[in-house]
Every structure is written in C-alpha cells, then in structure tokens.
Amino acid sequence: MSLAVYPGSFDPITYGHLDVVRRAARVFDRLVMAVLVNPRKAPLLPAAERVAAIREAIAGELPDLAPHIEIATFDGLTVDFCRQLGASHLVRGLRAVSDFEAELQMAHMNTALAPGVDTVFFMTAVEYAFLSSALVREIARFGGDVSAFVPAAVAARLGWPADGGSRP
Ligand code: PNS
C-alpha cells in the first residue's frame, strides 16, 4: 500500500492545496497531510484550527477521496515524520517557476537526509497559480474577503461565511 506525506504549514489551506491533495490522493493509496507546528512562528490559525479546517474542507469538497486522506500535526524534520509513518513519498505542489528553486533545494536536501523518501511534485492547476497562504493571510489581516481563495471552512473561520452573511 503506497503512502505519501504532504507536508506544509497550511496556514490556511487554500484551493491550491486542495487541488494538490485531489491529484495526490488519486495516485497514492494513503495520503497524510502533515501540518507543521512551528512554535517559532505566530500563525494566523492555531494548528488545531488548521487541522479542523482541512478536515472540513476535505469532507466538503473531496468527499470521495476522504477515506484515503489523513491529517496529522508534526514538529521537527519532515523526513523524520515520513520515516516514522513508513511513507515512501513526500508530496509538494508547484505553482510556477518561482517555486522551483526553493522546492528543488528542499527536495535534494530531504533526499540527502532520507534517501528512501522520494519527493514528487504536482503542478497546481493554472487557475490557482497566483494563490498563496501568505497572500491570504495578508488579505485576512487587513479584513479583506478571502472567500474566493480558500474553502468555506477556512473563510468562515476568517469571518466570511459561505451563506453570504456579512462580516461579524
Ligand atoms: O507550506 P510551507 O510553509 O511551504 O511548507 C514548508 C515545509 C513545512 C514543508 C518545510 O518548511 C518543512 O519541511 N519544515 C519542517 C522542517 C524540515 O524538515 N526542514 C528541512 C527541509 S529541507
């Protein structure tokens, strides 16, 4: 049974991440979304809320794939988490050439640390090529409407309920 880990901050999960999840869950029997808990960074959403939002987003948007997807938190090295689970692959998304250099460096470093864990990349759909959690965080911090960029479970947590209600 093939097992892959999709690590990230997911602060918050966006439609771009969900697109990668959808593709990866069709390739691997089990996909574990690994949410990094980084005590050195102040997140927009605490780890428990990021996990809850991911769970709700998958249940709402990818219900058929939900049985193949697990969500976990981790701290420390991604490759250690992969080895702990016995994962053979690590999944990352690529939006544009600008992502490539940092992702290539990270993939090579992870391979050097754990040769048994191979990194695979999925190209994020072109309609999400401009999307990033960092931009969503910035828009949210200034009170902007993020509902076009993130699943309803995230938008609601940021004060933009899907029923068109006004911001609290
Ligand atoms: O969503 P992000 O912030 O782009 O995800 C980055 C992440 C979590 C995959 C990366 O920072 C990571 O793997 N952090 C864990 C620590 C680690 O393994 N560092 C070495 C990477 S070569």
Side-chain angles (χ1 to χ4, degrees):
M1 178 176 275
S2 59
L3 168 58
V5 166
Y6 179 18
S9 307
F10 303 112
D11 184 33
I13 186 170
T14 68
Y15 281 131
H17 293 125
L18 267 190
D19 182 55
V20 171
V21 170
R22 186 177 55 78
R23 285 150 185 242
R26 285 182 180 158
V27 173
F28 297 101
D29 299 315
R30 276 175 70 204
L31 180 71
V32 177
M33 293 187 69
V35 178
L36 178 69
V37 180
N38 185 347
R40 291 163 295 281
K41 261 192 187 174
L44 179 68
L45 294 177
E49 283 212 46
R50 279 180 269 159
V51 168
I54 293 171
R55 185 163 289 118
E56 289 164 35
I58 288 170
E61 315 242 356
L62 304 172
D64 297 349
L65 297 175
H68 303 280
I69 302 165
E70 292 153 50
I71 306 150
T73 55
F74 79 105
D75 192 5
L77 289 178
T78 293
V79 289
D80 285 344
F81 187 68
C82 292
R83 280 191 288 222
Q84 203 180 305
L85 295 184
S88 56
H89 289 85
L90 199 162
V91 165
R92 293 287 288 169
L94 279 179
R95 289 162 299 190
V97 176
S98 50
D99 283 341
F100 185 76
E101 199 168 335
E103 291 295 336
L104 183 73
Q105 191 180 15
M106 198 155 64
H108 283 318
M109 188 59 89
N110 282 330
T111 299
L113 291 169
V117 182
D118 217 355
T119 300
V120 293
F121 294 103
F122 289 84
M123 308 302 157
T124 311
V126 70
E127 60 265 38
Y128 305 125
F130 64 94
L131 246 182
S132 76
S133 294
L135 284 180
V136 168
R137 286 197 298 275
E138 182 163 318
I139 294 166
R141 283 189 169 122
F142 285 110
D145 183 355
V146 294
S147 57
F149 314 123
V150 295
V154 173
R157 281 177 168 77
L158 298 176
W160 293 94
D163 61 6
S166 56
R167 210 175 134 72

